[in-house]
Amino acid sequence: MDKGRFAVPAGIIDWSIAAGVTALLLSNGLAGPHPAGDRELLGTVLLAAGGLALAARRRAPLLVLGRSGSCGSS
């Protein structure tokens, strides 16, 4: 496996970035007013999916761009 700058496997760096971005997205998304019904659950799932998609950024950058963009704009 390819190692990054700090001698850590690239996959671990990718998942760390994805987890951090997901945590930030969810904390910002859940901090404001919440919509009623199933829309809150859908929004939470879309935020998590958009952030976690970053884990595949080295393998499929265009797919990740499309997924994270579509999840964030919904």
Side-chain angles (χ1 to χ4, degrees):
M1 179 179 272
D2 186 28
K3 298 222 180 213
R5 180 182 316 174
F6 302 109
V8 177
I12 292 176
I13 293 173
D14 290 346
W15 277 104
S16 299
I17 291 170
V21 169
T22 301
L24 288 172
L25 287 173
L26 288 175
S27 66
N28 286 334
L30 296 175
H34 302 290
D38 293 335
R39 290 179 51 203
E40 180 178 5
L41 177 63
L42 176 63
T44 303
V45 168
L46 286 174
L47 284 173
L52 291 175
L54 292 174
R57 68 185 178 90
R58 291 181 202 261
R59 291 179 300 236
L62 293 178
L63 183 64
V64 169
L65 175 66
R67 176 173 285 177
S68 61
S70 64
C71 289
S73 65
S74 297

